[in-house]
Amino acid sequence: MFSVNSVFAHTAKELPLPEHANLSPEANELNKKYLSEHTFKTVVELAWPPFYFKNSTNGFHGIGIDYKNLIEKKMGIQTEVTGNMLFSDILDAIKNQSIDLFYTTARTADREEYALFSKPFETFPSAIATHR
């Protein structure tokens, strides 16, 4: 099993506090203002079915795209998809902050050193299949 989170490549002082935090109405309004005034750079993973895959017209589809669209709508944020990458390159882009967020990755101790994570929003089984 692995849990899927959104990951933010911002430093803690730059990232607005979550809406559900115990904040004053003024602080929540500042969060909404920050989110509405910024365009966040993100990427799509090259191929990780069923999370990300290209259809016959080279458009990206999958669970990750569905989560991306839902999160953007619920949070009221604007994003710019700056390309597609292999997952290892996405982790590097998060580390060097050339992207602002990525929608489907698991929290690990080493990733917590350079990124902020949402609460898990989905858990999926994981398995390895081999030939006899």
Side-chain angles (χ1 to χ4, degrees):
M1 300 292 265
F2 68 95
S3 296
V4 177
N5 307 73
S6 291
V7 61
F8 298 88
H10 283 273
T11 64
K13 68 179 183 178
E14 292 173 335
L15 188 70
L17 294 170
E19 181 75 29
H20 65 273
N22 194 8
L23 301 172
S24 69
E26 295 82 16
N28 283 333
E29 286 304 313
L30 287 174
N31 285 338
K32 290 176 186 174
K33 186 175 192 279
Y34 178 90
L35 292 172
S36 69
E37 291 177 349
H38 290 81
T39 299
F40 298 92
K41 293 180 284 185
T42 188
V43 295
V44 175
E45 190 167 353
L46 272 173
W48 186 32
F51 293 95
Y52 298 98
F53 57 92
K54 284 187 176 184
N55 66 11
S56 60
T57 61
N58 276 338
F60 279 95
H61 292 278
I63 297 168
I65 299 297
D66 294 341
Y67 277 124
K68 172 191 171 305
N69 295 336
L70 181 63
I71 290 167
E72 289 171 7
K73 182 178 179 181
K74 293 273 188 187
M75 290 183 67
I77 62 173
Q78 300 290 322
T79 62
E80 173 190 357
V81 177
T82 59
N84 50 58
M85 301 177 167
L86 297 172
F87 186 67
S88 59
D89 296 329
I90 291 170
L91 294 178
D92 288 340
I94 293 168
K95 283 182 194 175
N96 68 34
Q97 296 187 2
S98 62
I99 62 170
D100 298 312
L101 63 103
F102 183 66
Y103 292 96
T104 49
T105 191
R107 176 180 288 195
T108 63
D110 63 314
R111 293 176 192 162
E112 286 181 336
E113 294 178 17
Y114 57 85
L116 300 171
F117 290 83
S118 70
K119 291 181 180 179
F121 50 81
E122 190 67 69
T123 301
F124 293 92
S126 179
I128 298 174
T130 65
H131 291 285
R132 288 186 188 201

